[in-house]
């Protein structure tokens, strides 16, 4: 009798909540070079998402949160670098082979990529922790591969002649998703069964 009551209370508790799954990518790094002053250079980086987030259309899941964390490193002792990032569902880079381009040969899909990191300046010799939790990241759930397009531009120089190229470094980039799987109807089934 006690076992049956305990089993029934466990099922009722399950019906009152949902299963939460947290998935994340392995940390990765990206480097974006600057080759000229005041002219942006773009690096397109491809990322394959974890299996748990792919082909989710028929799974009746709710995406609670998607966020990215990373450290932006400006190693230059004299140059302030301006950086921004966009998320695209179209791209030509592969996970092993990033693509770089400038405004002259920027691909057409750049215009439709969602801005996920607004333009921001990073001071010389700085390490800055950044968290991105824009709603556009939720659209990545269900996709096998996504592309991030990161820009890098020199905006200010200290004393002396700037030495180019200079790279902005994106270190320990990790994407985390919190997904909920609801269990509707379990409470109704228990009630009908008389538990």
């Amino acid at each position: 009798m006690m076992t049956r009551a305990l089993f029934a209370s466990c099922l009722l508790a399950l019906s009152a909540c949902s299963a939460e799954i947290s998935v994340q990518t392995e940390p990765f790094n990206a480097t974006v070079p600057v080759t000229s002053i005041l002219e942006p250079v773009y690096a397109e980086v491809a990322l394959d998402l974890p299996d748990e987030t792919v082909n989710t259309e028929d799974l009746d899941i709710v995406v609670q949160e998607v966020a990215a964390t990373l450290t932006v490193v400006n190693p230059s002792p004299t140059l302030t670098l301006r950086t921004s990032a966009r998320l695209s569902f179209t791209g030509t880079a592969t996970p092993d082979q990033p693509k770089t381009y400038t405004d002259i040969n920027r691909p057409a899909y750049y215009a439709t990529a969602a801005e996920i990191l607004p333009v921001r300046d990073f001071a010389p010799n700085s390490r800055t922790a950044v968290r991105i939790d824009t709603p556009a990241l939720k659209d990545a759930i269900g996709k096998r591969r996504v592309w991030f397009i990161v820009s890098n531009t020199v905006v200010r120089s200290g004393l002396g002649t700037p030495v180019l190229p200079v790279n902005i470094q994106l270190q320990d980039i990790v994407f985390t998703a919190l997904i909920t799987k609801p269990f509707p109807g379990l409470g109704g089934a228990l009630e009908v069964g008389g538990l």
Side-chain angles (χ1 to χ4, degrees), residues 81-85 117-122 150-152 168 170:
L81 301 179
R82 177 167 292 161
T83 299
S84 66
L117 177 64
V119 174
R120 185 168 167 186
D121 291 355
F122 293 91
V150 182
S151 70
N152 188 14
I168 197 137
L170 311 179

Side-chain angles (χ1 to χ4, degrees), residues 77-94:
T78 59
L79 301 177
T80 297
L81 301 179
R82 177 167 292 161
T83 299
S84 66
R86 291 177 173 246
L87 171 65
S88 178
F89 301 121
T90 304
T92 56
T94 64

Side-chain angles (χ1 to χ4, degrees), residues 97-161:
Q97 188 64 50
K99 299 277 186 181
T100 54
Y101 40 82
T102 65
D103 281 333
I104 295 171
N105 62 343
R106 197 170 66 186
Y109 53 81
Y110 178 85
T112 60
E115 182 180 69
I116 59 171
L117 177 64
V119 174
R120 185 168 167 186
D121 291 355
F122 293 91
N125 278 330
S126 64
R127 293 180 62 84
T128 308
V130 175
R131 178 180 167 85
I132 301 169
D133 57 7
T134 178
L137 288 177
K138 287 186 177 182
D139 295 334
I141 298 297
K143 308 288 192 295
R144 166 55 66 194
R145 179 175 288 176
V146 295
W147 290 264
F148 296 93
I149 304 170
V150 182
S151 70
N152 188 14
T153 311
V154 172
V155 289
R156 276 196 301 279
S157 175
L159 297 175
T161 304

Side-chain angles (χ1 to χ4, degrees), residues 9 29 43 47 56 64 66 72-73 83 85 90 96 98 104 111 119 137 161 168-169 172 182-183 192 195:
S9 65
N29 301 324
L47 175 64
T56 57
Q64 298 294 336
V66 180
V72 179
V73 179
T83 299
T90 304
D96 297 331
I104 295 171
V119 174
L137 288 177
T161 304
I168 197 137
Q169 300 167 9
D172 298 323
F183 294 101
V192 172
L195 292 176

